[in-house]
Amino acid sequence: MAQRLILILLLFLIGDIYFYQAIITLFSNPLIHVIYWLIDIVVLGAIIVTIFLRKRISDIQRYASGLITAMLLIFIPKLFSVPILLLEDIGRLFRSFPPRNFYVSELVAVLAGIVFLAIIFGLTRGRHFYRVRKEILHFSDLPEAFDGFTITQLSDIHSGSLSNIKGVQKGIDLANAQNSDLLLFTGDLVNNMASEMDPWIDLFTTLKAPYGKYSVLGNHDCGDYTKWSSTSLKEANLMRVKEIHSEMGFKLLLNEAVLLHKHGQRIALVGVENWGKGGFHQFGNLNQATAAIPADSFKILMSHDPSHWDAVTVDHAKHVHLTLAGHTHGMQFGIELFGFKWSPIQYFYKQWAGLYQRDGKFLYVNRGFGYHGLKGRVGVWPEITVLTLKRSTDQVE
């Protein structure tokens, strides 16, 4: 992970140096040049102080959102200048490096301004710019009664970050408008404390699905990212989080499974506690969760962290047809246009957003309903997933 962070910082530095070339081409005033670097030094210095000198997690969280926002606004627009200025440099290479073209520098500045405005939109309107993403999944061994069965998936509500009731209501209404048979929530109800959810319980209780609402816990639900005066308080907080799921009408699955019945046939819905790589807890126990269900059951697994799929689920003795995860948020920043998909989170998670398939097994990673850290979303919008299960024409012998 350290190597990847260094790579990201190097990209920022390259973008900074290149964009500065455009600045000195457009502006000859030395004061502007000093201000340019002074802003960079202040932001980078604040990041270093926050991460390396402050010891308490709560201190880091207090300043992280503002620092992330500053980095996006200051560095990301500059990165978009690199390809244009690099192409210009290739041309200058064959012309003995004449001064930079004024109009190319103007183009770079305009592009940076557009990207800057796009980031402003994401930070202000993006947090509730909900997108419905639909996928149709085919399985040869899906019970006939469940052909056409629909699932709405939500993930990563992060109620401690929410503030706009009308904005959240828009997402709830959009989820209910899908009229899915089943509603699943794949973890991170809160940021740190169960009390964060108190103002939102009634609103999320209005989520409806005829075959029920089910959920699992995420890493944030365990209360690991705040300082507790005693272990008993932390345990009480987790117990309260679990109670809230029930109060909202969700059946919380804790390393267990339930059978969903339709017209005399059944599928198994499995839920595990959080299991993650890179220092995250590994409470999830797929063996325990699937122990009581028939081996030949069609299985849908809810597992908050997508790294669980590669590490455990794909090669598990019991075939898991579909896994639903969240956790990554798509880093709440990236580009998703015309089939192209990129986010810095892909350097940390192999599966980070959307649908993945391996050995006839599917994983869907929801981009998240809420937001955390960065107080908004840029390019990777909050998501309501709708999955339709279809029985394929290739029948199992």
Side-chain angles (χ1 to χ4, degrees), residues 40 61 148 155 246 323 362:
D40 282 359
Q61 289 180 332
S155 193
S246 178
T323 300
F362 291 94

Side-chain angles (χ1 to χ4, degrees), residues 353-368:
L355 185 66
Y356 302 86
Q357 183 178 6
R358 178 178 157 193
D359 299 333
K361 303 166 187 178
F362 291 94
L363 166 70
Y364 194 91
V365 184
N366 181 286
R367 294 160 179 82

Side-chain angles (χ1 to χ4, degrees), residues 52-204:
F52 294 104
L53 298 185
R54 295 184 178 275
K55 302 299 182 182
R56 295 189 304 171
I57 293 175
S58 58
D59 286 336
I60 295 175
Q61 289 180 332
R62 187 183 308 164
Y63 299 102
S65 178
L67 291 175
I68 293 171
T69 300
M71 286 187 69
L72 284 176
L73 290 172
I74 292 171
F75 293 113
I76 296 301
K78 298 173 183 177
L79 282 179
F80 281 81
S81 72
V82 172
I84 297 174
L85 294 174
L86 184 59
L87 286 173
E88 184 189 15
D89 277 348
I90 294 173
R92 292 170 68 211
L93 180 64
F94 295 99
R95 293 183 289 118
S96 302
F97 271 94
R100 288 196 176 276
N101 186 287
F102 186 88
Y103 297 107
V104 172
S105 295
E106 273 192 332
L107 173 63
V108 164
V110 170
L111 177 61
I114 293 172
V115 174
F116 183 87
L117 293 176
I119 294 173
I120 292 293
F121 173 85
L123 295 174
T124 54
R125 301 289 298 277
R127 65 186 68 175
H128 300 300
F129 193 55
Y130 302 102
R131 305 289 91 186
V132 177
R133 295 182 177 270
K134 298 184 178 183
E135 295 283 354
I136 300 175
L137 308 179
H138 293 85
F139 302 92
S140 59
D141 55 347
L142 179 71
E144 291 183 13
F146 288 87
D147 185 25
F149 194 79
T150 53
I151 301 169
T152 288
Q153 179 198 4
L154 303 179
S155 193
D156 299 271
I157 289 171
H158 284 285
S159 56
S161 301
L162 303 178
S163 60
N164 187 323
I165 294 177
K166 289 184 178 179
V168 176
Q169 181 70 65
K170 175 184 173 183
I172 297 291
D173 291 343
L174 195 56
N176 278 331
Q178 307 312 308
N179 295 314
S180 292
D181 297 305
L182 183 67
L183 194 143
L184 304 179
F185 171 64
T186 46
D188 274 3
L189 185 65
V190 300
N191 293 345
N192 299 297
M193 300 181 181
S195 58
E196 297 167 358
M197 191 63 196
D198 288 346
W200 306 101
I201 292 176
D202 291 342
L203 188 55
F204 281 90

